Amino acid sequence: MKINLGPLTRIEGHLNVETTVENNKIVDAQCMGEMFRGFEVFLQGRNPLDAQQITQRICGVCPYAHAIASSYAQERAYNLKVPPNGRIMHNLIQGANHLYDYLLQFYQLAALDFVDVTSILQYKGKDADLLTLKNWVQAELASGKAYPAAPFLPRLSGKYVNNADLNIGALKHYIESMEIQKKANEAAAIFGGKFPHSTSIFPGGCTQNAKIDLIASYQSLINEVRNFYHNKYIPDVLAIAKAFPEYWNIGASKGGFLSYGLLPLSPEQNSKKVFSSGVLTDGEISPVNFELITEDVKHAMYSSPSGLKVRDSTLTPSPKKSGAYSWIKAPRYQGHMVEVGSAARILVDYHQGNNATVKQLVQKFAAQAGIPPSKINSVLGRYLSRAICGAVIADFLLDESERIDLKGPTIADIKIPSSGEGFGATEASRGALLHYIRIKDQKIDRYECVVPTTWNASPRDDNDQPGAMESALIGTNVKDPEDQIEAIRIVHSFDPCIACAVH
Ligand code: NFE
């Protein structure tokens, strides 16, 4: 039996998922990106310095990652020598964005897959926010509508946390987390100019000045965010894990893992990073080589050639192409399907063993949950990975902000060459993000973005191998094929963003 899971809510953009269920098991799954955008097409012919501004408009959630990837690519193409302050400010802006995004993902987009929002009806206290929520849920439930409004409702039927106090506590954090997200965004805007789309990130650094009062304000905001991670976010993730231990065994993707590494420790392009880069296949780590990435379109709605390398990629939309079911391409690493994102970031770093804190946190939480670290590849593993990433990033940002040299420049002199090319790779919150720019006559000749959700929500490739999310769905047991809460929990754990995936 084929079931369409749409409309999918609490994700970004237009994603549809269709599963085929036999004997209460998903035996097939198709992820469908249902819109076309074309950023790479309309970037052609423009001034290259437009790129880090325009590509930020791919998304309102992870714009800084696009600006950073674009800046790295242009730094290569222009052969820029980035001053230390420039790279530090890039890190301060991008790191704060990760802190915002993990909070948004867990509390607003995913927690209500587990937390029972209807427990709020039992709330007897005086907290104004919780009373507003209570009235709202009451009215929605009383409305008799078949589909009460998002974001809190509708709910799929299944097991939820059944302790009213725990649910109400989590809902309180749901509301508080929005204030904390605001603080993370304010911190990013101190150096980034504004949120969501930064005006100050450029190849070679940042147009903001190095000033002591800016650093002090940044630190004070990040410190509050850090405290929320330690006192609320991490305990909430662990509480969900304790209540739903079966989700360590649900939603594993069935390929490798890719991370480009995050937060460089020095301005050079080949710098060591807080989170290491690497490709993890069959338990073996190898260095990332962009030349081994290809983009298949056999099942994507493009008539341009399939299997091209990133620098050769082209884009000819073909909405009626036979056998195609998605506007998302299928990137592959040396032909392998890989998962990207927080779990990939943690697994790749854990296997490299370069970051002692990551290693220690993974081991600590894995021991508490009674699971081996390999179970990071699961629904709960993706949530735990975001919590660990957030804790590590918050500490790093507080230290990194101390390294700003108040007398040093914050940006390199930019001179656009008549020709050149460059790759720029970073980790957006949702995973490995690559931009490629080629310049001819001081204009953009070709631009290509290979984006996290393009990897994770990809359709079948030229060899008919499923994408990471499809593979995670296939094999899952579902209690009620008509109401697949297990499948929705798997999809949400990837935090798909279709605006990014299609771009
Ligand atoms: Ni639109 Fe994005 C992130 C990027 S996901 S959210 O994180 O790049 O594909």
Side-chain angles (χ1 to χ4, degrees):
M1 140 205 287
K2 266 195 181 177
I3 301 283
N4 191 308
L5 301 186
L8 275 164
T9 56
R10 290 195 267 117
I11 59 154
E12 202 299 321
H14 304 271
L15 172 71
N16 206 346
V17 174
E18 196 165 87
T19 58
T20 306
V21 178
E22 284 173 10
N23 301 320
N24 289 78
K25 185 187 269 239
I26 297 176
V27 294
D28 195 11
Q30 289 193 329
C31 293
M32 297 167 268
E34 296 193 315
M35 61 184 187
F36 175 69
R37 304 189 75 201
F39 272 73
E40 288 134 337
V41 178
F42 61 74
L43 277 162
Q44 285 168 22
R46 299 194 67 107
N47 185 320
L49 278 177
D50 288 351
Q52 80 285 351
Q53 283 299 322
I54 291 178
T55 55
Q56 287 190 72
R57 272 71 189 174
I58 287 173
C59 184
V61 188
C62 66
Y64 299 152
H66 287 288
I68 297 285
S70 183
S71 295
Y72 290 176
Q74 292 179 66
E75 285 165 11
R76 277 255 148 101
Y78 308 163
N79 215 358
L80 283 189
K81 191 163 171 358
V82 182
N85 276 349
R87 189 64 81 230
I88 290 169
M89 286 191 183
H90 281 170
N91 284 344
L92 298 183
I93 300 167
Q94 190 182 9
N97 183 239
H98 274 248
L99 296 182
Y100 147 72
D101 202 347
Y102 301 141
L103 289 168
L104 169 78
Q105 199 284 327
F106 180 65
Y107 286 101
Q108 276 70 48
L109 303 182
L112 298 191
D113 287 347
F114 302 95
V115 171
D116 185 356
V117 69
T118 62
S119 281
I120 196 66
L121 301 178
Q122 298 174 44
Y123 181 63
K124 306 237 167 15
K126 293 201 166 66
D127 182 290
D129 290 331
L130 288 177
L131 287 172
T132 306
L133 176 60
K134 180 177 177 178
N135 289 339
W136 196 91
V137 171
Q138 218 157 22
E140 281 297 312
L141 289 174
S143 72
K145 285 186 265 179
Y147 292 101
F152 304 119
L153 301 163
R155 298 188 326 130
L156 291 166
S157 50
K159 178 185 135 192
Y160 286 80
V161 172
N162 61 9
N163 176 317
D165 289 339
L166 267 184
N167 282 321
I168 292 168
L171 292 168
K172 174 99 178 117
H173 294 172
Y174 177 109
I175 294 166
E176 277 176 37
S177 78
M178 290 189 260
E179 276 303 313
I180 302 297
Q181 288 165 46
K182 198 169 114 193
K183 289 181 197 290
N185 288 338
E186 280 171 6
I190 286 175
F191 297 105
K194 67 181 184 65
F195 181 84
H197 299 118
S198 166
T199 45
S200 72
I201 301 172
F202 272 81
C206 185
T207 55
Q208 180 58 285
N209 292 328
K211 287 201 227 138
I212 191 83
D213 54 330
L214 299 182
I215 298 169
S217 307
Y218 181 88
Q219 290 176 339
S220 142
L221 288 161
I222 294 294
N223 208 25
E224 282 189 71
V225 179
R226 179 190 180 277
N227 291 343
F228 189 89
Y229 267 82
H230 284 279
N231 300 332
K232 294 176 180 171
Y233 187 108
I234 293 176
D236 284 345
V237 170
L238 294 176
I240 296 286
K242 201 164 167 205
F244 297 84
E246 63 274 25
Y247 277 87
W248 292 115
N249 293 315
I250 295 176
S253 67
K254 299 173 187 76
F257 297 90
L258 167 70
S259 168
Y260 294 142
L262 177 65
L263 301 170
L265 299 171
S266 69
E268 298 79 34
Q269 292 267 357
N270 57 0
S271 158
K272 283 199 159 151
K273 297 170 181 169
V274 174
F275 295 91
S276 313
S277 72
V279 189
L280 179 63
T281 40
D282 301 325
E284 294 288 322
I285 285 276
S286 32
V288 176
N289 178 352
F290 304 137
E291 303 298 339
L292 299 179
I293 298 170
T294 50
E295 294 181 275
D296 289 356
V297 295
K298 179 176 170 188
H299 296 284
M301 296 180 200
Y302 304 101
S303 57
S304 21
S306 193
L308 294 178
K309 289 186 173 187
V310 176
R311 60 156 61 80
D312 300 324
S313 237
T314 58
L315 198 70
T316 312
S318 179
K320 300 211 163 76
K321 182 172 137 183
S322 152
Y325 61 89
S326 180
W327 286 103
I328 301 173
K329 291 181 180 180
R332 292 295 182 261
Y333 190 90
Q334 217 170 6
H336 295 292
M337 176 271 279
V338 293
E339 175 177 338
V340 302
S342 54
R345 197 144 57 237
I346 291 296
L347 282 170
V348 165
D349 196 274
Y350 183 79
H351 277 82
Q352 311 262 42
N354 292 337
N355 188 323
T357 314
V358 168
K359 200 149 197 135
Q360 184 220 327
L361 289 175
V362 169
Q363 284 169 347
K364 176 176 146 188
F365 293 133
Q368 272 178 21
I371 50 134
S374 59
K375 289 286 176 192
I376 292 286
N377 181 12
S378 63
V379 167
L380 288 177
R382 294 185 190 100
Y383 293 124
L384 180 61
S385 297
R386 288 188 190 92
I388 293 176
C389 285
V392 171
I393 290 171
D395 282 345
F396 171 75
L397 295 179
L398 291 173
D399 292 344
E400 180 80 336
S401 56
E402 291 286 332
R403 290 188 272 269
I404 289 186
D405 169 7
L406 295 174
K407 297 204 176 78
T410 61
I411 188 162
D413 283 337
I414 300 173
K415 219 167 163 197
I416 301 174
S418 64
S419 65
E421 65 165 0
F423 284 101
T426 186
E427 287 284 298
S429 331
R430 283 158 200 74
L433 174 64
L434 182 66
H435 282 208
Y436 168 76
I437 189 167
R438 189 164 74 214
I439 296 166
K440 203 170 139 201
D441 300 330
Q442 294 191 309
K443 296 266 185 308
I444 297 174
D445 182 47
R446 179 163 287 170
Y447 206 97
E448 183 68 16
C449 308
V450 188
V451 182
T453 302
T454 319
W455 290 95
N456 283 342
S458 82
R460 265 31 175 203
D461 58 27
D462 288 3
N463 295 319
D464 296 326
Q465 296 178 95
M469 206 155 81
E470 291 180 340
S471 82
L473 288 162
I474 295 169
T476 304
N477 292 317
V478 292
K479 220 170 186 168
D480 178 358
E482 302 279 356
D483 205 9
Q484 294 174 31
I485 191 166
E486 301 87 351
I488 295 294
R489 284 171 172 163
I490 292 171
V491 170
H492 280 165
S493 73
F494 281 91
D495 190 16
C497 171
I498 307 310
C500 274
V502 178
H503 55 275

